[in-house]
Amino acid sequence: MKLSRQFTVLGSAIFCVVIFSLYLMLDHIDYSKNPNGERNQNGQLGILQDKIDHLERLLAENNEIIANIRDSVINLRETVKDGKMFPEGSMSQGNGELLPPAPALLPIHSEDCQFAARTYSKAADGVQMLDVYDLLSFDNPDGGVWKQGFDISYQDNEWDNEPLQVFVVPHSHNDPGWLKTFDDYYRDQTQHILNNMVVKLHEDSRRKMIWSEISYFSKWWDGIDEQKRDAVKRLIESGQLEVATGGWVMPDEANAHYFALIDQLVEGHQWLERNLGVKPKTGWAVDPFGHSPTQAYLLRQAGLSNMLIQRVHYSVKKHFASQKTLEFFWRQNWDQDSSSDILCHMMPFYSYDVPHTCGPDPKICCQFDFKRLPGGRISCPWRIPPQAITDNNIQERVQTLLDQYRKKSKLFRTNVLLAPLGDDFRYTEAVEWDQQFENYQKLFDYMNSHPELHVQAQFGTISDYFEALRKSTGMDPVGMNVGQLAFPVLSGDLFTYADRDDHYWSGYFTSRPFYKRLDRVLESHLRAAEVLYSLTLANIQKYGQPSDYPAVDNYKLLTEARRNLGLFQHHDAIAGTGKDWVVVDYGTRLYHSILNVKRVIVSSAHWLVLKDKPAYYHDPSNPFLQMDDVQPSQDALPRKTILEVGEKPRLLVACNPTEQARTSMVTVYVTTPKVRVLDALGHVVRAQVSAVWNDASHAATDVFQLSFVAQAAPLGLSVYQLMEGMEPRTEAAKYMFLQDGMKISVSKPEHFSQFYQQDAAPVHIENPHLKLSISKATGLLEKMRLKEDDSEFLVKVEFAWYGTTSNKDKSGAYLFLPDKEATIYSPSQPPVVRVTKGPLFSEVTTTFPHITQNLRLYNIHGVEGQSVEICNTVDIRGEINREIAMRITSDLNSKDRFFTDLNGYQVQPRKTMAKLPLQANFYPMTSMVYLQDSGTRLSLLTAQSLGAASLKSGQLEVIMDRRLNQDDNRGLGQGVLDNKITANSFRLLLEKRSSAEEAHISQRSDAPSLIPYSPLSASFPCDMHLVNLRAIQSKEEGGGPSEQAALILHRKGFDCGFSNRNTGLLCTTTRGKIHLEKLLTDLKVKSISHVSLSLMHTHSSDANPQEISLKPMEIRTYRLQLS
Ligand SMILES: [Zn+2]
């Protein structure tokens, strides 16, 4: 299978490359909260203390090293400013090696080590989800009318003193794409719902409605006139219409990365602020397939006080119902106090449709869904139809409904009851509004005029409900302060969801993995574009002259990309659970936005690196810079563009969008193997030339890979040049070809030599950190040796197949229903194994019929050199009902414990349970999965969301693609058969300590002078992540940028509990403090204020807002103006 084909850049277009390393290597958080945790806290603390002491001794020394490095960086910049960019005569040997020197120990402040060392104790009335899982038997007995629950009884006089308060909340669940595309749903359904809403709510001021998806709302808003807009504003002011959550979509909480979760929330909230002036108070998430505490935290940080969730494992719901813990404060695992608490309501029953929301008996509740009145298009599957409410039947109807309300109320702690009234795309037609609202109003009027019923019923919004709930418990209306704790505290997450039987929704953690990867490609490019764009605007302002830079056009491209990325976070989009053509619609949006944000990156980088600013021009048809890869279509893998190298120097710009100074391998495709690479000072940089392969053993003759180690300042752009010529510091790679453990002869690749290893020993590739043993027969990893202490570990990579069950219900887009444990992948033909050895990287490429694995080791200090890069190109298009997994077996004694991240933001401990079916032990892996024993941790970092498990001690497993021939009866109505050739990228990290993330650009020239750009004088602290620097839209017409940007920071939880070897990071920790202006080189902070996550609320001004200070794990937003 071909990894890629190439095409060449024509003419003299200026050339540009961006390479992102896509791994979010979160600093690992080790929770020892669970009483069954294996880590011995005291022992661990002792070891930690020793390490801290050792570190402190080294701190002074290291600060000096860092200061020296900074000085030299500053000197370098000064030199460049003097115009001595490529001084003549300095083309000779550079000063020193290109592998970065000085394995400097990371200077960490001891206080910054406390986060991971803490014991997390739960509150007195606390519920930890891991404990709940230990407790539950998952036996699924028949519960009667409430099938998954139990009989509920009550006494008639229970409400005599305090009447039952019922809030019926009308809602319409509008998926921004699922069975139809976003635009088709809008045209056929959503616009009618919203149009009717304006009319029907105005008819009676007692009517209410909630809306949550701003993607739809804003599209509708754009097409309505001022009169209608005013009517909507009046409905909002009067409280009849409430915007719940107010994100761009109702996001998937398993596969979405927190960058994108934040971005779609900011996009929705910023739209609301500009157009309606409303600030959502309550979250509403009835359909995401399992719930993450990350989303709870983000809502809380955005200033919301309450939230509602629905799709939770039926056994958990039943347990919480029996304990009356369906309403709780959701608290983050790592939270030391209660600052992350948000009041959460978990819906108790099977679904959010009307049959499952009025009470425990769906046969009864369905009779109160008046859209199902006889003669309509839908009916009740329980075969008892609704009756229109009349004087004749009202008494009986009220008694019947009230019985359900009362029973439901018994599952909660207060007399306030929530009864949602809606379903997917409800309230499209005027008649449906009349059916529901008129019949319910009759029921309410009757209830409220009969005091002996002790009930007060009304339409309400979701915040009306929470307001009454808070009032009934003596809580204040928005805060989390409770005099008497009426609700318990819950910590942990709500994966993996099952709605019935053994139907676990773990399939969608992997479904359509090609697009899960594409999502992250857009995400990383969008982030880079946002940061570069904001820096460029500030830089232009500082420059003080008008410029040709397309600020407004670029802002529009960014806005569109934010919205397309936001749309894809929808729970049927990134989840991979839409119809085939809907998937194509999403893919096309992502694809176009990738092209567009690359334009923003290129035009911004052009300005920033240009020495002679007046020479800046913007010509979209002939961009100054070009990127190094091109994706030919929405469903194809990107191809490398080929850089034509001749006698004239060709410039290459490396862009580092991370907040850390980075050393990183850059690989570009060039037209000649005789090439030299020079850095900004004209020093020759060591480089490796490798072949480009048309297939497993045939090299291209006219294109070559050129790799070199680039250094880039934090958020900076560095400049390299390539030119033709023989150069001893550019070395060619050597090759060996094997099949079935034996040498095979291939036509000798021109320019490259071959080698052969005679003995039967495994193939070894190594760098200063690691030595890998790879099977000669399979080409797959078998052992890893850590050079720091010469310890060797079994780390065996295999592939495996899952089939689907022979039962009636089979695996589909949502569900994973395997037939049995996976069987090892063993193709009848032994694979061709190609071994590459070179000075900068070595790799083993193994070509199986369904997978090409590329396992690469960089000969580089720092983060990239400490992990093994694994890229699996998977193609299962010819299979029937099969899923393919990568399995990594180690000798780590991890028992039944492992860890997965949630949304790339935090780490959640997991426990594999024999009492659960295999598919229940799979969890979402957004950025990593790891396992560990007392001495070692093995992490698999991923560049795309996939499903992962640890089914045996020491073993990790990741599902890479799934091809399923049937629907799994969750409404999609099709299987998953649109598989693509998919590249899954990972890094495998074996450690006694770790960290980071990264990227670059490159370019060619005839050529104007380019100077490196470094906006920061030093790296951010090691634990501080710049989530985004996102330009804010101007309030004026035209959709351009304002002068302000949202600076979003995340202080990671830091774990010092690993041996401290060189991470290659030139950063320290600072107890969560940054002085922004001191970090900036040229730009000044004009204004800065602390605001809520999505900028809706301004927090009381800090004494000195320049001094930014974050607690571990905190995410904070600042409204920032640079000049
Ligand atoms: Zn939905």
Side-chain angles (χ1 to χ4, degrees), residues 135-146:
L135 195 76
L136 297 181
S137 60
F138 297 97
D139 53 354
N140 194 20
D142 191 331
V145 293
W146 177 21

Side-chain angles (χ1 to χ4, degrees), residues 498-514:
D499 56 350
R500 55 182 187 247
D501 306 322
D502 61 350
H503 293 190
Y504 284 82
W505 296 42
S506 46
Y508 86 98
F509 301 155
T510 297
S511 295
R512 269 79 175 242
F514 180 91

Side-chain angles (χ1 to χ4, degrees), residues 930-1118:
Y930 66 85
L931 47 76
Q932 61 189 15
D933 60 17
S934 57
T936 316
R937 178 181 289 180
L938 181 69
S939 309
L940 186 70
L941 307 162
T942 178
Q944 58 283 311
S945 294
L946 296 168
S950 173
L951 299 174
K952 296 202 170 92
S953 177
Q955 203 175 76
L956 291 174
E957 199 169 291
V958 183
I959 310 282
M960 298 190 300
D961 199 2
R962 32 203 333 258
R963 184 171 178 86
L964 302 157
N965 289 51
Q966 61 282 311
D967 184 44
D968 52 6
N969 301 314
R970 293 305 184 281
L972 178 59
Q974 64 158 76
V976 181
L977 293 167
D978 57 348
N979 306 69
K980 318 289 178 212
I981 299 176
T982 298
N984 290 298
S985 294
F986 305 97
R987 277 192 188 166
L988 186 63
L989 185 63
L990 181 66
E991 66 180 336
K992 314 200 160 176
R993 152 107 221 161
S994 105
S995 157
E997 134 186 36
E998 133 102 32
H1000 349 239
I1001 311 185
S1002 95
Q1003 170 259 22
R1004 88 133 229 187
S1005 96
D1006 289 301
S1009 282
L1010 303 187
I1011 55 168
Y1013 172 68
S1014 3
L1016 302 182
S1017 58
S1019 290
F1020 269 39
C1022 297
D1023 53 354
M1024 200 71 86
H1025 175 52
L1026 174 69
V1027 178
N1028 208 344
L1029 180 61
R1030 185 188 203 269
I1032 299 170
Q1033 186 175 329
S1034 157
K1035 295 249 190 288
E1036 287 148 35
E1037 284 297 307
S1042 69
E1043 292 185 340
Q1044 297 178 329
L1047 171 71
I1048 307 176
L1049 298 170
H1050 169 209
R1051 183 179 173 195
K1052 297 182 241 184
F1054 210 74
D1055 187 351
C1056 311
F1058 292 85
S1059 72
N1060 186 55
R1061 59 189 165 141
N1062 174 34
T1063 61
L1065 293 171
L1066 303 179
C1067 59
T1068 178
T1069 59
T1070 56
R1071 281 164 288 170
K1073 291 184 171 49
I1074 302 186
H1075 194 292
L1076 194 60
E1077 189 139 291
K1078 285 182 187 162
L1079 264 177
L1080 294 166
T1081 50
D1082 295 333
L1083 298 172
K1084 296 262 176 299
V1085 175
K1086 201 164 168 187
S1087 68
I1088 181 166
S1089 56
H1090 178 203
V1091 293
S1092 62
L1093 181 65
S1094 55
L1095 300 102
M1096 282 191 309
H1097 307 274
T1098 302
H1099 294 305
S1100 55
S1101 59
D1102 302 337
N1104 182 4
Q1106 290 268 5
E1107 284 276 6
I1108 289 171
S1109 175
L1110 272 70
K1111 293 188 286 184
M1113 291 307 286
E1114 188 174 4
I1115 297 177
R1116 261 199 194 198
T1117 304
Y1118 289 86

Side-chain angles (χ1 to χ4, degrees), residues 173-176 178 250 287-289 352 424 570-572:
H173 180 68
N174 280 238
D175 292 306
W178 181 40
M250 184 187 290
D287 202 24
F289 323 139
Y352 55 85
D424 292 0
H570 162 51
H571 55 265
D572 292 305

Side-chain angles (χ1 to χ4, degrees), residues 663-955:
T663 297
S664 189
M665 192 74 70
V666 172
T667 296
V668 292
Y669 279 22
V670 292
T671 48
T672 169
K674 300 181 182 67
V675 60
R676 52 162 47 175
V677 182
L678 309 179
D679 67 13
L681 296 173
H683 297 140
V684 178
V685 171
R686 204 166 153 205
Q688 173 174 334
V689 170
S690 325
V692 169
W693 298 90
N694 290 331
D695 61 24
S697 58
H698 291 91
T701 54
D702 53 353
V703 56
F704 306 88
Q705 291 185 66
L706 172 70
S707 306
F708 64 95
V709 181
Q711 316 256 16
L715 307 182
L717 299 158
S718 46
V719 180
Y720 290 86
Q721 58 178 329
L722 312 181
M723 52 207 295
E724 196 171 20
M726 290 299 285
E727 169 55 57
R729 291 176 68 78
T730 300
E731 297 175 47
K734 295 182 295 183
Y735 291 94
M736 172 167 73
F737 297 85
L738 299 166
Q739 192 163 29
D740 213 8
M742 309 295 286
K743 181 186 175 180
I744 53 167
S745 56
V746 300
S747 56
K748 181 186 174 305
E750 211 184 332
H751 310 292
F752 300 97
S753 59
Q754 293 188 49
F755 67 99
Y756 182 59
Q757 178 191 327
Q758 293 293 345
D759 56 37
V763 174
H764 292 295
I765 58 175
E766 59 188 305
N767 73 5
H769 301 289
L770 293 168
K771 182 174 183 180
L772 309 181
S773 300
I774 291 144
S775 159
K776 265 181 146 178
T778 66
L780 298 175
L781 183 64
E782 292 189 322
K783 281 177 183 159
M784 282 174 87
R785 182 178 289 270
L786 287 179
K787 292 196 175 171
E788 64 181 292
D789 62 354
D790 206 34
S791 51
E792 188 169 68
F793 297 87
L794 172 78
V795 182
K796 187 175 165 56
V797 172
E798 290 168 303
F799 300 106
W801 287 119
Y802 283 101
T804 189
T805 170
S806 54
N807 297 339
K808 191 171 126 281
D809 294 304
K810 295 182 167 50
S811 298
Y814 304 90
L815 305 183
F816 179 34
L817 288 165
D819 49 349
K820 55 178 196 282
E821 286 181 16
T823 51
I824 292 298
Y825 179 81
S826 51
S828 51
Q829 275 272 37
V832 173
V833 178
R834 182 177 72 233
V835 182
T836 308
K837 287 198 179 180
L840 297 188
F841 73 85
S842 296
E843 68 183 2
V844 176
T845 306
T846 307
T847 306
F848 296 100
H850 300 88
I851 309 148
T852 297
Q853 184 182 70
N854 194 55
L855 182 148
R856 185 181 278 205
L857 193 59
Y858 290 106
N859 189 11
I860 184 172
H861 279 296
V863 182
E864 283 182 38
Q866 291 176 359
S867 56
V868 184
E869 190 175 276
I870 296 177
C871 183
N872 296 324
T873 304
V874 174
D875 183 0
I876 58 166
R877 289 175 297 176
E879 299 303 307
I880 294 167
N881 274 330
R882 269 185 151 183
E883 312 195 24
I884 193 154
M886 177 169 70
R887 180 182 282 176
I888 300 172
T889 306
S890 75
D891 46 13
L892 268 64
N893 183 22
S894 59
K895 303 197 172 71
D896 55 358
R897 310 306 300 270
F898 70 115
F899 302 80
T900 56
D901 75 303
L902 289 166
N903 318 98
Y905 170 67
Q906 58 182 323
V907 171
Q908 177 66 42
R910 304 290 182 196
K911 189 172 178 183
T912 299
M913 295 187 171
K915 66 185 172 189
L916 292 173
L918 188 150
Q919 62 269 27
N921 285 305
F922 274 79
Y923 289 96
M925 164 179 77
T926 316
S927 68
M928 69 162 82
V929 57
Y930 66 85
L931 47 76
Q932 61 189 15
D933 60 17
S934 57
T936 316
R937 178 181 289 180
L938 181 69
S939 309
L940 186 70
L941 307 162
T942 178
Q944 58 283 311
S945 294
L946 296 168
S950 173
L951 299 174
K952 296 202 170 92
S953 177
Q955 203 175 76

